[in-house]
Amino acid sequence: MKNVDILSVGPFYPPSFEPMERDFTVHKLWQAKDRGALIAEVGGRIRGIQTTGGHGADAKLMDALPKLEIISCFGVGVDAVDLDAARQRGVIVTNTPDVLNECVADLAMGLTVATLRRISLGDRYVRAGSWLKGALPLAQKVGGKTMGILGYGRIGKAIAKRAEAFGMRIVYHGRKPQAGVAHKYYASLTEMARDCDVLMVICPGGAATYRLVNAEVLAALGPEGTLINVARGSVVDETALVKALADGRLGAAGLDVFESEPKVPEALFAMDQVVLQPHVGSATHETRKAMGDLTVDNLRAHFSGKPVLTPVA
Ligand code: 8YV
C-alpha cells in the first residue's frame, strides 16, 4: 500500500504511527513549516486523512484533496470532523469506539472519587506541610450518592458499572429512554440535575450538545452538587460554570476537558473544590495503542478493498 498517500493531520501513539508509515506514504501536516505549501504539493495525490479527535478535518481541507476517500480519526469523538462535508463528498469517516471505554470510565470514576474526597487537595495539603498545623476539613462520602449520567452510551454504561460498585445510584438523561435499562430516565436534564449529587457528562460534543449544561442546569445541581466532565468542553457553558463555582452556587467540579483546551480558565486554578486534568481520559499506553492500531487498521481495510472496521454512522 506504499502507493497510497495519506495526510497525517495530527500525531498519535508512536508505536502505532510507525507501522502506518511503513505501510503507506505518509505526509505529516503537523511537521510542515508551511502547511499550505505541503497541501499544494501533495494534495492532488492524497487518498486518506489520518486525524485525531482534537485536530479533526474541515471542509476546506477536504476541498484541497480531490482524491480523498477516507478520514480515519484517532479518537471516538468526531465533533471536530465536518461529517456533513465528508458525506457530501462521499468520504468515509472512521473513529475508535469501544477500545477506550474502560480507560475513560476509570478516569471518570477517579475524578468522581477525587473530587468528592478532595484527593488532590489532600495531596497539596501534605506537600505544603499544612498537616502539621491541623487536619484537612472533612469531605463527602461517595457511596449512597446519586450519579446522573448525561449520555448513557457505551462509555456511560462503563462508568455506571464502576459507580454502582462504589454504592452509587444511577439515573440518566439522553435524547430518549433506552430499552432494557433499569435505571430511571429523565426527559429533562435540569430535573435530573436537581435530583442527583453528581452530574457526569459523557455525551458526544458538537452542535447538538453545545452548552447543554448551562447556568440553569448548574443551578439545579446546586451548592451540594458536583459536575464531572470527561466528554467535551463545549457541552458545558464554561463561563457559567466558573461563575457558579466562584459564587458557591455549584459545589465542586472534576474536569478533564475544556472549551479552548489546552487553555483553562485561570479562575479555576485557585479553587480547592475543583480537580483539573489535561484531557487524559484515554491516555494510557494500552488504550492509546489499541486506538492507534484501530486507526491504521481502518486505513488498511479500506485500501485493501475491504469494509472499514468502525465507520461513523
Ligand atoms: C483523545 C478523545 O484524547 O476519543 C476521544 O474522543 O477525546 C480522546 O480519546 C483524542 O481523540 C485525541 O485527540
Side-chain angles (χ1 to χ4, degrees), residues 79-103:
D79 45 301
V81 176
D82 189 332
L83 295 177
D84 287 337
R87 199 175 303 117
Q88 280 156 19
R89 290 159 181 77
V91 171
I92 297 167
V93 179
T94 64
N95 64 346
T96 60
D98 291 322
V99 293
L100 44 61
N101 296 353
E102 304 289 306
C103 274

Side-chain angles (χ1 to χ4, degrees), residues 52-55 73-79 96 100 104 231-232 257 279 281-282 288 291:
T52 72
H55 289 84
C73 181
F74 173 87
V76 67
V78 287
D79 45 301
T96 60
L100 44 61
V104 177
R232 286 291 183 260
V257 289
H279 197 152
S282 67
R288 287 289 166 90
M291 291 164 67

Side-chain angles (χ1 to χ4, degrees), residues 222-268:
E224 302 299 319
T226 296
L227 177 82
I228 306 289
N229 189 2
V230 290
R232 286 291 183 260
S234 61
V235 183
V236 177
D237 181 338
E238 207 163 69
T239 308
L241 171 66
V242 171
K243 210 165 174 309
L245 285 164
D247 298 349
R249 282 177 293 108
L250 175 67
L255 308 169
D256 184 41
V257 289
F258 304 87
E259 205 166 341
S260 308
E261 58 189 46
K263 286 196 199 115
V264 174
E266 281 185 23
L268 295 173

